[in-house]
Amino acid sequence: MSYQFILVEPRYEQHIALVQLNRPKELNALHLELMAEVRDALKSLDQDPEVRAIILTGNERAFAAGADIKQMAGKNAIDMLLIDQFSTWDTIKKIKKPIIAAVSGFALGGGNELVMHCDMVIASETAMFGQPEIKIGVMPGAGGTQRLTRNVGKVNAMEMVLTGKFINAQRAYELGLVNRVVPVELYLEEAVKLAREVVQLSPIAIKLAKEAVLKAYDSPLSEGLEFERKNFYMLFATEDQKEGMAAFVEKRAAEFKGR
Ligand code: CAA
């Protein structure tokens, strides 16, 4: 597949794919065309048996400065309803392989919401996160009010959403929005290191574990626990469970196949 607004390297490293948002002049503003490409790339990598983890990144200045304001400015409510941009995001939400965001510079509005669609986040110390939609007379629309509140709690989410103020990488770390903060020259490398840890493990166990953790977002505890238990039992039907446990007993490294 060829893309105009993103760069995709399905074989960035063994089992690791890289997707880079690539509208640098516009600070990677997420217009509809770019988001459609992100959706298509992630879907295709999700189906690629060689890929076990995906890194999503921007550039040093911006991960993404939000939805494209210029593209939205003249639209009315019915235009927006018919464009139905968030169905693209619904597909991204369903990607089964782990996605690691490597964030430097601005992650604002839809940019921060895209970060929150990822499973783990490495931030450069220059990263800035925010939901500034309120400053242009609207509010977050790609899950910002919901995911941010679950991630950072009500009062912190309120402050970000109601003032539009940005927080820096260190504050994002304190609030639990990112896994760690590293010097700017290392953010991609650190994301790759994290991906390397994940791709050594059983891809099928990783997939079911990701699904179970995400279940905690939108189900009551009892339902989530039942879901977790079923996925746990299901893994005993895999060769990877036999291999993983045999390798432990035989004191050797396991070789996981994703079956
Ligand atoms: N949409 C369209 N274009 C954007 C953009 C956006 N979200 N963010 C930046 N750009 C463009 C600028 O218009 C500018 O283009 P020109 O050179 O053609 O004028 C270029 O990118 C560089 O930006 P700036 O000159 O503004 O750079 P700066 O360093 O002075 O400021 C910034 C950086 C603080 C991020 C500022 O660009 C900004 O505030 N951007 C908008 C952030 C925002 O409001 N995001 C939320 C969008 S709404 C949303 O995301 C809804 C949703 O929930 C899905």
Side-chain angles (χ1 to χ4, degrees):
M1 257 188 252
S2 72
Y3 299 102
Q4 202 182 339
F5 304 109
I6 60 174
L7 303 170
V8 180
E9 291 191 53
R11 307 281 178 269
Y12 186 67
E13 263 198 22
Q14 197 186 20
H15 300 314
I16 301 173
L18 183 81
V19 176
Q20 182 177 15
L21 310 178
N22 192 32
R23 287 184 83 202
K25 274 198 244 126
E26 296 82 5
L27 305 184
N28 289 334
L30 305 168
H31 64 8
L32 297 171
E33 298 80 357
L34 180 148
M35 284 307 297
E37 289 190 0
V38 171
R39 175 201 59 207
D40 293 348
L42 293 177
K43 261 179 83 174
S44 136
L45 296 169
D46 212 24
Q47 282 157 10
D48 180 339
E50 278 303 306
V51 173
R52 295 184 180 183
I54 303 162
I55 296 173
L56 182 60
T57 195
N59 56 54
E60 236 177 79
R61 184 161 178 230
F63 177 80
D68 191 311
I69 300 169
K70 291 168 191 165
Q71 194 175 51
M72 288 185 300
K75 302 276 188 291
N76 65 34
I78 300 303
D79 295 333
M80 293 300 280
L81 187 78
L82 294 177
I83 290 168
D84 189 22
Q85 62 184 344
F86 298 122
S87 62
T88 301
W89 295 70
D90 290 341
T91 306
I92 295 173
K93 189 177 80 179
K94 290 187 191 134
I95 299 297
K96 292 188 159 59
K97 289 178 186 167
I99 308 176
I100 300 171
V103 181
S104 179
F106 299 112
L108 305 176
N112 191 40
E113 288 166 311
L114 188 55
V115 171
M116 291 190 290
H117 275 69
C118 297
D119 303 306
M120 291 177 276
V121 185
I122 301 296
S124 106
E125 56 198 3
T126 63
M128 301 290 284
F129 300 83
Q131 296 292 157
E133 293 90 342
I134 206 81
K135 292 184 174 170
I136 51 169
V138 289
M139 57 177 277
T145 61
Q146 305 304 299
R147 287 197 179 85
L148 191 65
T149 305
R150 282 168 168 76
N151 288 348
V152 306
K154 176 183 158 188
V155 295
N156 294 312
M158 283 290 189
E159 189 168 350
M160 287 175 74
V161 171
L162 301 190
T163 69
K165 271 188 307 194
F166 305 163
I167 57 169
N168 66 21
Q170 183 55 34
R171 183 70 182 140
Y173 173 72
E174 288 159 12
L175 292 178
L177 263 185
V178 310
N179 292 75
R180 51 192 155 276
V181 181
V182 296
V184 63
E185 59 279 11
L186 293 180
Y187 73 98
L188 185 56
E189 197 178 316
E190 190 68 20
V192 173
K193 273 193 203 158
L194 182 56
R196 278 189 203 127
E197 289 184 48
V198 172
V199 301
Q200 286 171 27
L201 305 171
S202 163
I204 193 161
I206 293 279
K207 204 178 274 190
L208 294 192
K210 165 172 170 165
E211 192 184 37
V213 172
L214 288 180
K215 193 77 182 169
Y217 264 95
D218 60 5
S219 63
L221 181 62
S222 55
E223 203 182 291
L225 289 171
E226 265 175 45
F227 187 86
E228 177 193 78
R229 199 163 299 177
K230 287 199 178 113
N231 278 10
F232 177 75
Y233 290 151
M234 203 191 314
L235 287 170
F236 282 75
T238 65
E239 289 174 29
D240 280 357
Q241 174 266 329
K242 305 283 174 277
E243 165 65 6
M245 293 193 180
F248 175 82
V249 173
E250 292 159 20
K251 298 187 190 296
R252 61 172 174 82
E255 257 190 56
F256 293 116
K257 299 202 172 75
R259 285 198 295 272

